[in-house]
Amino acid sequence: MKQSNGLKQSAAAVGLWVGAQSALALPPTTPLPDAAHTIYLAGGAAQDPALDKLIADNLAASGTLDIYYDNGNPNGSKYRAYFFTTNTSKVPGLSSASVNVLIYKRSNGGAGYGVIPLIQDPPPTVKQLDFTPANSWTFDATNNRYVVSGTQTGQYADAGITGVNPSILTGGNYPQPSGTGVGDVFSTTETVPSEVSARLAVTPAGGLTYGLAVTKDFYKVLQAAQIYSGTLPSTTPLGSYNQAARIPTLTRQFAASLIAGKIKSWDSVVVFNSAGVGKTLPEIASANGITLPTQVGSGSSAVSPVSMGNRNKGAAVGAAFSAKLLNYPTLASAFPPASQPTLLNPLALPYVTQAPGASQQEQVLLDWQNGTNVSGLNPPAVSGGTPPKRWGVAEQSTDWNPSYAKDYRYVRIDSYAPTLANIHIGGYPLWAEQTLQWRKTYTGATATFTGLIPTGDKLLILKKLAAVLGSPSAAAQVNAQLGSVIGATGLFGVSTDSSVKTLSAAFDPNNPIIPYTHVNGALNDWLLPVVNGGKLGTVKLP
């Protein structure tokens, strides 16, 4: 697509255009696609790495895709956009043989923005990226994408993405707005389960693996502790992640206790060797030359604080962890996840944060490991001081840091590593079906709500995106690029998909389909998953 003269002049004026035009196919252009081919998505950030790949491979015609990230830290953590050409071979039934498409994606605030702004009537607007000519933008040659400085308000979300069924975002999981400005605010009083059923067309879109991530130093501590106890082989190199048998394991109950904020310091966690001699985790660390975290207190009362990274209310990641490990908020008496206080106290025991996105959660882990505060969620105890180093644990999805190049790792749960093969046999518990949803007609809808129901090419593109998100073969393509050294992880197909006719006991990473399901009439991630008996061919005994 040719760039307009006006935008060329704007780019040249700030010296940003050099080298960019030859690198990508559809730079910011005027005019942009019409409303029928401009789609505003909002919702979970966990799927963002996969979304980049899935759009490139399955929606965009070859050589036409440009990807835009916001200029936050890290880039693309809150807003993204995808500008490309698609055609009838990619999306059958389009009104033209070839059309330009612009998809905006808001991740800031998590899955809640993929639900509440869609069921609320009258609908609120949702802030998105803005790369109109008035904005400054640069080309990131290293990552082959554009970085954009501005956001736009006044846009309605066309569809939402959630890493759990949207009805789960109720009670203690009810989403909270990420800000108070225009484009961030939505109602805090919607009746989620009933309104989701009445007002949204919810389309299953495969499944996603979640993982309990720990900072790199704490990972080594857990390894050393379980070598001491005999849980891990004595030959395990500290820091190694290339074999599942070398990965430390936590029980569901211990992980749940951390999420609920019931363990305050690592000094209260003791491991015993075969002779019955107990050592605290800091003692284990000191014996193995592992750096201790910044202490809270002084002298003999100093302790190593537990740091727990839960997710913000309305995040699919947090809702999945709460459902799987705490039965929250299904049971009235269930323990809730610990909450971040309004004012962060670096000396708190435990120290709890609730990052507003998967990218920000990753940065929290890196801040804790390295004693930095890029995320803003690891402030120093004294103004102007050094941010603390922490032994931290955090809720995350396993398509983040899949090659383990960054300074955090995932642990096993009940001895099962976070792999698709372990989900397939019913062992690893932290997973959920994801969905893509958009508005549908309901009695009493306002004219604004009804006017936002997708039709025509927009609906076709959304349906194709849902199909791609749920496709086992597309999932396999994405997973192959994740580079997991312990086995395939990330996305998978679900047994309730109409294309799945029978289930097999043999797991195939090239066609990852999970035989277990949370669907009992309707999708509900609160349920204990069971084998889909309606399609059972064979099932593997764990």
mmCIF file of all heavy atoms in Angstrom, residues 47-78:
data_model
loop_
_atom_site.group_PDB
_atom_site.id
_atom_site.type_symbol
_atom_site.label_atom_id
_atom_site.label_comp_id
_atom_site.label_asym_id
_atom_site.label_seq_id
_atom_site.Cartn_x
_atom_site.Cartn_y
_atom_site.Cartn_z
ATOM 1 N N GLN A 47 -2.657 -14.113 25.383
ATOM 2 C CA GLN A 47 -2.643 -14.629 24.013
ATOM 3 C C GLN A 47 -1.837 -13.777 23.050
ATOM 4 O O GLN A 47 -1.694 -14.146 21.875
ATOM 5 C CB GLN A 47 -4.082 -14.735 23.482
ATOM 6 C CG GLN A 47 -4.966 -15.670 24.279
ATOM 7 C CD GLN A 47 -5.702 -14.958 25.404
ATOM 8 O OE1 GLN A 47 -5.262 -13.923 25.892
ATOM 9 N NE2 GLN A 47 -6.818 -15.509 25.831
ATOM 10 N N ASP A 48 -1.302 -12.649 23.494
ATOM 11 C CA ASP A 48 -0.680 -11.705 22.564
ATOM 12 C C ASP A 48 0.463 -12.301 21.741
ATOM 13 O O ASP A 48 0.531 -12.063 20.529
ATOM 14 C CB ASP A 48 -0.202 -10.463 23.314
ATOM 15 C CG ASP A 48 -1.355 -9.535 23.671
ATOM 16 O OD1 ASP A 48 -2.490 -9.791 23.211
ATOM 17 O OD2 ASP A 48 -1.136 -8.567 24.418
ATOM 18 N N PRO A 49 1.403 -13.053 22.343
ATOM 19 C CA PRO A 49 2.468 -13.614 21.500
ATOM 20 C C PRO A 49 1.929 -14.524 20.399
ATOM 21 O O PRO A 49 2.414 -14.509 19.266
ATOM 22 C CB PRO A 49 3.321 -14.403 22.508
ATOM 23 C CG PRO A 49 3.067 -13.746 23.819
ATOM 24 C CD PRO A 49 1.624 -13.346 23.771
ATOM 25 N N ALA A 50 0.897 -15.303 20.740
ATOM 26 C CA ALA A 50 0.302 -16.198 19.745
ATOM 27 C C ALA A 50 -0.469 -15.410 18.697
ATOM 28 O O ALA A 50 -0.467 -15.774 17.504
ATOM 29 C CB ALA A 50 -0.614 -17.200 20.439
ATOM 30 N N LEU A 51 -1.129 -14.330 19.108
ATOM 31 C CA LEU A 51 -1.947 -13.556 18.179
ATOM 32 C C LEU A 51 -1.096 -12.971 17.057
ATOM 33 O O LEU A 51 -1.513 -12.969 15.894
ATOM 34 C CB LEU A 51 -2.669 -12.441 18.933
ATOM 35 C CG LEU A 51 -3.865 -11.790 18.238
ATOM 36 C CD1 LEU A 51 -4.955 -12.812 17.966
ATOM 37 C CD2 LEU A 51 -4.408 -10.644 19.078
ATOM 38 N N ASP A 52 0.088 -12.480 17.384
ATOM 39 C CA ASP A 52 0.995 -11.966 16.349
ATOM 40 C C ASP A 52 1.221 -13.015 15.261
ATOM 41 O O ASP A 52 1.131 -12.738 14.062
ATOM 42 C CB ASP A 52 2.339 -11.582 16.965
ATOM 43 C CG ASP A 52 2.283 -10.317 17.794
ATOM 44 O OD1 ASP A 52 1.183 -9.785 18.019
ATOM 45 O OD2 ASP A 52 3.358 -9.864 18.243
ATOM 46 N N LYS A 53 1.525 -14.228 15.695
ATOM 47 C CA LYS A 53 1.847 -15.316 14.772
ATOM 48 C C LYS A 53 0.615 -15.795 14.014
ATOM 49 O O LYS A 53 0.665 -16.043 12.804
ATOM 50 C CB LYS A 53 2.479 -16.467 15.562
ATOM 51 C CG LYS A 53 2.714 -17.747 14.781
ATOM 52 C CD LYS A 53 3.767 -17.589 13.720
ATOM 53 C CE LYS A 53 4.070 -18.931 13.051
ATOM 54 N NZ LYS A 53 4.925 -18.778 11.856
ATOM 55 N N LEU A 54 -0.504 -15.928 14.696
ATOM 56 C CA LEU A 54 -1.711 -16.467 14.065
ATOM 57 C C LEU A 54 -2.242 -15.535 12.985
ATOM 58 O O LEU A 54 -2.686 -15.990 11.919
ATOM 59 C CB LEU A 54 -2.778 -16.720 15.126
ATOM 60 C CG LEU A 54 -2.477 -17.861 16.102
ATOM 61 C CD1 LEU A 54 -3.532 -17.909 17.205
ATOM 62 C CD2 LEU A 54 -2.430 -19.200 15.373
ATOM 63 N N ILE A 55 -2.206 -14.231 13.240
ATOM 64 C CA ILE A 55 -2.653 -13.291 12.213
ATOM 65 C C ILE A 55 -1.717 -13.323 11.020
ATOM 66 O O ILE A 55 -2.147 -13.324 9.863
ATOM 67 C CB ILE A 55 -2.766 -11.876 12.809
ATOM 68 C CG1 ILE A 55 -3.955 -11.803 13.775
ATOM 69 C CG2 ILE A 55 -2.929 -10.824 11.702
ATOM 70 C CD1 ILE A 55 -4.100 -10.485 14.491
ATOM 71 N N ALA A 56 -0.425 -13.373 11.296
ATOM 72 C CA ALA A 56 0.558 -13.392 10.209
ATOM 73 C C ALA A 56 0.379 -14.613 9.313
ATOM 74 O O ALA A 56 0.445 -14.521 8.081
ATOM 75 C CB ALA A 56 1.970 -13.366 10.781
ATOM 76 N N ASP A 57 0.132 -15.763 9.906
ATOM 77 C CA ASP A 57 0.093 -17.014 9.144
ATOM 78 C C ASP A 57 -1.269 -17.341 8.553
ATOM 79 O O ASP A 57 -1.353 -18.071 7.552
ATOM 80 C CB ASP A 57 0.526 -18.186 10.035
ATOM 81 C CG ASP A 57 2.002 -18.150 10.370
ATOM 82 O OD1 ASP A 57 2.721 -17.330 9.762
ATOM 83 O OD2 ASP A 57 2.432 -18.916 11.247
ATOM 84 N N ASN A 58 -2.342 -16.836 9.155
ATOM 85 C CA ASN A 58 -3.661 -17.325 8.786
ATOM 86 C C ASN A 58 -4.637 -16.273 8.275
ATOM 87 O O ASN A 58 -5.640 -16.622 7.658
ATOM 88 C CB ASN A 58 -4.297 -18.024 9.986
ATOM 89 C CG ASN A 58 -3.509 -19.226 10.441
ATOM 90 O OD1 ASN A 58 -3.638 -20.311 9.904
ATOM 91 N ND2 ASN A 58 -2.673 -19.033 11.459
ATOM 92 N N LEU A 59 -4.365 -14.993 8.518
ATOM 93 C CA LEU A 59 -5.268 -13.950 8.044
ATOM 94 C C LEU A 59 -4.620 -13.042 7.006
ATOM 95 O O LEU A 59 -5.271 -12.632 6.046
ATOM 96 C CB LEU A 59 -5.757 -13.105 9.223
ATOM 97 C CG LEU A 59 -6.810 -13.741 10.136
ATOM 98 C CD1 LEU A 59 -7.114 -12.825 11.315
ATOM 99 C CD2 LEU A 59 -8.085 -14.045 9.374
ATOM 100 N N ALA A 60 -3.364 -12.705 7.200
ATOM 101 C CA ALA A 60 -2.694 -11.752 6.323
ATOM 102 C C ALA A 60 -2.162 -12.430 5.065
ATOM 103 O O ALA A 60 -1.560 -13.509 5.138
ATOM 104 C CB ALA A 60 -1.552 -11.069 7.058
ATOM 105 N N ALA A 61 -2.385 -11.788 3.917
ATOM 106 C CA ALA A 61 -1.751 -12.254 2.687
ATOM 107 C C ALA A 61 -0.238 -12.082 2.817
ATOM 108 O O ALA A 61 0.239 -11.164 3.499
ATOM 109 C CB ALA A 61 -2.289 -11.464 1.497
ATOM 110 N N SER A 62 0.488 -12.939 2.184
ATOM 111 C CA SER A 62 1.943 -12.949 2.306
ATOM 112 C C SER A 62 2.544 -11.582 1.991
ATOM 113 O O SER A 62 2.222 -10.961 0.974
ATOM 114 C CB SER A 62 2.537 -14.009 1.381
ATOM 115 O OG SER A 62 3.945 -14.015 1.445
ATOM 116 N N GLY A 63 3.404 -11.117 2.886
ATOM 117 C CA GLY A 63 4.136 -9.886 2.662
ATOM 118 C C GLY A 63 3.360 -8.617 2.893
ATOM 119 O O GLY A 63 3.829 -7.529 2.534
ATOM 120 N N THR A 64 2.161 -8.700 3.502
ATOM 121 C CA THR A 64 1.341 -7.486 3.661
ATOM 122 C C THR A 64 1.184 -7.024 5.094
ATOM 123 O O THR A 64 0.599 -5.962 5.331
ATOM 124 C CB THR A 64 -0.069 -7.702 3.087
ATOM 125 O OG1 THR A 64 -0.798 -8.631 3.912
ATOM 126 C CG2 THR A 64 -0.017 -8.222 1.656
ATOM 127 N N LEU A 65 1.669 -7.772 6.078
ATOM 128 C CA LEU A 65 1.371 -7.452 7.472
ATOM 129 C C LEU A 65 2.369 -6.464 8.070
ATOM 130 O O LEU A 65 3.575 -6.642 7.981
ATOM 131 C CB LEU A 65 1.373 -8.735 8.314
ATOM 132 C CG LEU A 65 1.209 -8.552 9.827
ATOM 133 C CD1 LEU A 65 -0.170 -7.977 10.154
ATOM 134 C CD2 LEU A 65 1.432 -9.868 10.558
ATOM 135 N N ASP A 66 1.819 -5.428 8.704
ATOM 136 C CA ASP A 66 2.590 -4.555 9.581
ATOM 137 C C ASP A 66 2.029 -4.696 10.987
ATOM 138 O O ASP A 66 0.807 -4.723 11.186
ATOM 139 C CB ASP A 66 2.477 -3.095 9.159
ATOM 140 C CG ASP A 66 3.529 -2.721 8.124
ATOM 141 O OD1 ASP A 66 4.230 -3.627 7.670
ATOM 142 O OD2 ASP A 66 3.619 -1.529 7.777
ATOM 143 N N ILE A 67 2.911 -4.753 11.981
ATOM 144 C CA ILE A 67 2.503 -4.874 13.376
ATOM 145 C C ILE A 67 2.952 -3.620 14.118
ATOM 146 O O ILE A 67 4.083 -3.153 13.944
ATOM 147 C CB ILE A 67 3.099 -6.135 14.024
ATOM 148 C CG1 ILE A 67 2.577 -7.392 13.311
ATOM 149 C CG2 ILE A 67 2.750 -6.202 15.509
ATOM 150 C CD1 ILE A 67 3.165 -8.691 13.837
ATOM 151 N N TYR A 68 2.083 -3.081 14.954
ATOM 152 C CA TYR A 68 2.342 -1.862 15.706
ATOM 153 C C TYR A 68 2.220 -2.145 17.204
ATOM 154 O O TYR A 68 1.252 -2.778 17.650
ATOM 155 C CB TYR A 68 1.335 -0.775 15.317
ATOM 156 C CG TYR A 68 1.394 -0.420 13.860
ATOM 157 C CD1 TYR A 68 0.710 -1.176 12.916
ATOM 158 C CD2 TYR A 68 2.150 0.655 13.419
ATOM 159 C CE1 TYR A 68 0.775 -0.870 11.560
ATOM 160 C CE2 TYR A 68 2.225 0.974 12.075
ATOM 161 C CZ TYR A 68 1.538 0.208 11.151
ATOM 162 O OH TYR A 68 1.610 0.521 9.817
ATOM 163 N N TYR A 69 3.197 -1.704 17.976
ATOM 164 C CA TYR A 69 3.187 -1.842 19.432
ATOM 165 C C TYR A 69 3.189 -0.450 20.064
ATOM 166 O O TYR A 69 3.756 0.491 19.505
ATOM 167 C CB TYR A 69 4.444 -2.569 19.919
ATOM 168 C CG TYR A 69 4.427 -4.073 19.805
ATOM 169 C CD1 TYR A 69 3.556 -4.748 18.962
ATOM 170 C CD2 TYR A 69 5.320 -4.828 20.554
ATOM 171 C CE1 TYR A 69 3.574 -6.132 18.860
ATOM 172 C CE2 TYR A 69 5.344 -6.214 20.464
ATOM 173 C CZ TYR A 69 4.467 -6.858 19.622
ATOM 174 O OH TYR A 69 4.487 -8.226 19.529
ATOM 175 N N ASP A 70 2.568 -0.342 21.247
ATOM 176 C CA ASP A 70 2.713 0.905 21.991
ATOM 177 C C ASP A 70 4.152 1.039 22.490
ATOM 178 O O ASP A 70 4.915 0.066 22.499
ATOM 179 C CB ASP A 70 1.730 0.959 23.167
ATOM 180 C CG ASP A 70 2.102 -0.001 24.290
ATOM 181 O OD1 ASP A 70 3.023 0.317 25.063
ATOM 182 O OD2 ASP A 70 1.480 -1.069 24.395
ATOM 183 N N ASN A 71 4.524 2.231 22.900
ATOM 184 C CA ASN A 71 5.912 2.487 23.296
ATOM 185 C C ASN A 71 6.130 2.345 24.796
ATOM 186 O O ASN A 71 7.060 2.907 25.358
ATOM 187 C CB ASN A 71 6.365 3.865 22.837
ATOM 188 C CG ASN A 71 5.626 5.003 23.556
ATOM 189 O OD1 ASN A 71 4.569 4.776 24.141
ATOM 190 N ND2 ASN A 71 6.163 6.205 23.487
ATOM 191 N N GLY A 72 5.255 1.579 25.464
ATOM 192 C CA GLY A 72 5.432 1.338 26.893
ATOM 193 C C GLY A 72 6.630 0.458 27.164
ATOM 194 O O GLY A 72 7.362 0.063 26.255
ATOM 195 N N ASN A 73 6.834 0.149 28.430
ATOM 196 C CA ASN A 73 7.975 -0.669 28.823
ATOM 197 C C ASN A 73 7.463 -1.959 29.452
ATOM 198 O O ASN A 73 6.982 -1.952 30.567
ATOM 199 C CB ASN A 73 8.853 0.081 29.823
ATOM 200 C CG ASN A 73 10.217 -0.564 29.977
ATOM 201 O OD1 ASN A 73 10.433 -1.686 29.552
ATOM 202 N ND2 ASN A 73 11.134 0.163 30.599
ATOM 203 N N PRO A 74 7.521 -3.077 28.729
ATOM 204 C CA PRO A 74 8.053 -3.241 27.376
ATOM 205 C C PRO A 74 7.056 -2.811 26.299
ATOM 206 O O PRO A 74 5.869 -2.678 26.566
ATOM 207 C CB PRO A 74 8.319 -4.749 27.295
ATOM 208 C CG PRO A 74 7.308 -5.345 28.201
ATOM 209 C CD PRO A 74 7.139 -4.370 29.332
ATOM 210 N N ASN A 75 7.577 -2.607 25.088
ATOM 211 C CA ASN A 75 6.723 -2.227 23.972
ATOM 212 C C ASN A 75 5.610 -3.262 23.774
ATOM 213 O O ASN A 75 5.821 -4.462 23.898
ATOM 214 C CB ASN A 75 7.528 -2.131 22.677
ATOM 215 C CG ASN A 75 8.543 -1.005 22.671
ATOM 216 O OD1 ASN A 75 9.427 -0.963 21.827
ATOM 217 N ND2 ASN A 75 8.434 -0.074 23.614
ATOM 218 N N GLY A 76 4.421 -2.768 23.432
ATOM 219 C CA GLY A 76 3.313 -3.662 23.122
ATOM 220 C C GLY A 76 2.637 -4.294 24.315
ATOM 221 O O GLY A 76 1.793 -5.172 24.161
ATOM 222 N N SER A 77 2.958 -3.849 25.515
ATOM 223 C CA SER A 77 2.383 -4.470 26.708
ATOM 224 C C SER A 77 0.935 -4.056 26.939
ATOM 225 O O SER A 77 0.195 -4.767 27.627
ATOM 226 C CB SER A 77 3.219 -4.121 27.939
ATOM 227 O OG SER A 77 3.294 -2.719 28.129
ATOM 228 N N LYS A 78 0.510 -2.935 26.358
ATOM 229 C CA LYS A 78 -0.855 -2.448 26.571
ATOM 230 C C LYS A 78 -1.694 -2.435 25.296
ATOM 231 O O LYS A 78 -2.873 -2.762 25.321
ATOM 232 C CB LYS A 78 -0.816 -1.043 27.172
ATOM 233 C CG LYS A 78 -0.205 -0.984 28.569
ATOM 234 C CD LYS A 78 -0.249 0.433 29.121
ATOM 235 C CE LYS A 78 0.306 0.471 30.549
ATOM 236 N NZ LYS A 78 0.252 1.842 31.126
#
